[in-house]
Amino acid sequence: MSKYWSDVVHKLTPYVPGEQPKINSLVKLNTNENPYGPSPKVIEALKLEAAETLRLYPDPNSDGLKAAIAKVHHLDSSQVFVGNGSDEVLAHVFQALLKHAQPLLFPDITYSFYPVYCGLYGIDYETIPLAEDFSIRAEDYIKPNGGIIFPNPNAPTGMPLALEKIEWILQNNTESVVVIDEAYVDFGTESAVSLIDQYPNLLVTHTLSKARSLAGLRVGYALGSATLIEALIRVKDSFNSYPIDRFASAGAVAAMQDVDYFEETCQKVIATRDALVANMQELDFEVLPSGANFIFTKHKLRDGAELSAKLREHGIIVRHFKSPNRIAPYLRITIGTDEQSVLLLKALKAVLSE
């Protein structure tokens, strides 16, 4: 605390990211990174970008990257916004589209950055409780609001909401923006991008950190009507006109273009997830339905915090959330390689036998 801080700083409770350990020998299953490296075409593009042109500013509009993204999603470049990771994109979304007289709505158990953005930008919000089974109930979002946002699949539960439910929310909230945060959508959840041309109030956000293995490069984007995208550009250009550097742009373009590699690695993660779920259930774990590259699970008898600590003793780190109390028994476990799953299951068997 300091007398030099602005008032807003005193009131902030910053987001706490997952641990990035400095010990290389740990099996890292706590931050939902892709277990497979980026496309070889990305590596080649980054090498080519290491040139004399680095002395020049990058394209402030990221036209090449927008075109690559638009092509993948069958949209126009005017419907694409790019930023320095999806967290920055979401920050601009909150400021440009979600600050209104009525409260913003989002689930009570969801991405914990949402209330942080609200605190930073002075946005009133209301959390909507998940159902007993941790699903999002579309009917709970039919009330006065200044906007709606939730991940699909949700985080940290991993549970997807059917596309027809999302469309129903859109049809019943035509006067406010509905943001679907699709950070994990490529691992088995149906995307809402197909609804963009029908609903001018729909904005969909994506990241290249998960399915395209570029968490270290920091590129995210939003898709929506040209009117919504213009609002984001106005905020971005009032904050940082050059958020995407030359390396990030080159690597992201290559990642978007290599569709075969993207689909191959997504299917590998899905197959490993499905096998892991079956094995976890044999060990008396309850596992929520997942459309993401992680599972949310609890043991029928053992405490989540205890299991997390014990796994660390075996060289494996997973994510445990102490609050809210409702999810304290659960662990969020990133899907790794098949080999990492074997190590995880071996460690769990050892811990459960103690």
Side-chain angles (χ1 to χ4, degrees):
M1 306 292 279
S2 169
K3 66 180 180 180
Y4 301 111
W5 290 4
S6 300
D7 287 343
V8 67
V9 177
H10 287 279
K11 300 173 184 176
L12 290 178
T13 303
Y15 171 75
V16 179
E19 178 188 2
Q20 293 291 344
K22 303 298 188 291
I23 305 172
N24 294 329
S25 59
L26 290 175
V27 176
K28 188 174 183 297
L29 303 176
N30 68 321
T31 51
N32 299 339
E33 292 138 326
N34 198 311
Y36 305 104
S39 161
K41 294 180 180 179
V42 170
I43 306 303
E44 185 61 29
L46 294 178
K47 291 178 180 177
L48 292 173
E49 196 61 35
E52 183 268 342
T53 52
L54 286 179
R55 67 184 179 82
L56 302 174
Y57 283 108
D59 175 7
N61 297 318
S62 300
D63 288 330
L65 177 54
K66 287 181 180 179
I69 294 169
K71 183 177 181 179
V72 166
H73 294 288
H74 308 291
L75 297 171
D76 187 81
S77 292
S78 66
Q79 296 174 287
V80 180
F81 175 82
V82 295
N84 184 22
S86 62
D87 284 336
E88 181 182 84
V89 172
L90 286 168
H92 293 334
V93 169
F94 271 70
Q95 191 168 38
L97 300 171
L98 300 179
K99 185 174 183 178
H100 299 286
Q102 297 284 359
L104 173 65
L105 307 182
F106 52 81
D108 64 335
I109 298 172
T110 193
Y111 187 28
S112 56
F113 223 139
Y114 296 163
V116 175
Y117 291 134
C118 289
L120 180 61
Y121 297 122
I123 299 172
D124 291 332
Y125 68 92
E126 178 182 346
T127 57
I128 307 298
L130 296 178
E132 286 301 312
D133 65 354
F134 290 102
S135 63
I136 292 174
R137 292 177 295 220
E139 60 270 23
D140 291 346
Y141 291 82
I142 311 306
K143 60 193 303 183
N145 66 79
I148 296 169
I149 185 170
F150 57 85
N152 195 41
N154 195 17
T157 66
M159 294 182 66
L161 183 66
L163 189 61
E164 58 265 27
K165 295 289 188 180
I166 292 174
E167 186 166 17
W168 190 81
I169 291 174
L170 287 162
Q171 291 169 344
N172 287 275
N173 288 279
T174 58
E175 299 304 308
S176 56
V177 174
V178 177
V179 181
I180 310 299
D181 181 353
E182 293 189 344
Y184 305 102
V185 75
D186 298 308
F187 300 103
T189 298
E190 192 172 7
S191 174
V193 171
S194 61
L195 301 176
I196 284 174
D197 286 337
Q198 297 172 248
Y199 298 96
N201 61 324
L202 170 63
L203 191 81
V204 180
T205 62
H206 275 220
T207 177
L208 274 70
S209 296
K210 315 301 182 186
R212 290 182 169 81
S213 307
L214 291 178
L217 209 58
R218 312 311 303 132
V219 178
Y221 58 92
L223 307 168
S225 68
T227 301
L228 296 184
I229 298 303
E230 181 185 355
L232 299 178
I233 292 172
R234 289 171 67 88
V235 169
K236 185 266 288 185
D237 286 346
S238 300
F239 176 74
N240 177 9
S241 296
Y242 300 96
I244 307 298
D245 64 54
R246 287 179 174 270
F247 281 112
S249 183
V253 168
M256 295 302 299
Q257 291 176 340
D258 196 348
V259 176
D260 289 342
Y261 184 86
F262 158 75
E263 292 179 347
E264 176 188 348
T265 53
C266 285
Q267 289 305 312
K268 288 168 70 174
V269 170
I270 291 170
T272 302
R273 181 191 69 206
D274 293 346
L276 178 61
V277 168
N279 285 310
M280 296 283 287
Q281 290 170 335
E282 290 182 1
L283 296 177
D284 284 335
F285 279 89
E286 297 176 4
V287 186
L288 297 187
S290 176
N293 67 333
F294 60 87
I295 59 173
F296 204 55
T297 181
K298 72 172 181 177
H299 193 264
K300 294 179 180 179
L301 299 176
R302 304 290 285 269
D303 176 69
E306 175 204 4
L307 288 175
S308 177
K310 290 288 187 180
L311 283 173
R312 192 180 186 93
E313 293 176 6
H314 286 261
I316 298 172
I317 56 173
V318 298
R319 192 81 187 265
H320 175 254
F321 299 89
K322 296 179 181 178
S323 65
N325 291 336
R326 192 174 168 197
I327 63 172
Y330 287 80
L331 299 176
R332 192 194 69 188
I333 303 176
T334 301
I335 304 304
T337 62
D338 288 339
E339 293 76 15
Q340 288 174 324
S341 287
V342 169
L343 293 173
L344 170 65
L345 292 166
K346 181 180 179 181
L348 284 171
K349 290 175 182 178
V351 170
L352 294 174
S353 67
E354 294 176 358

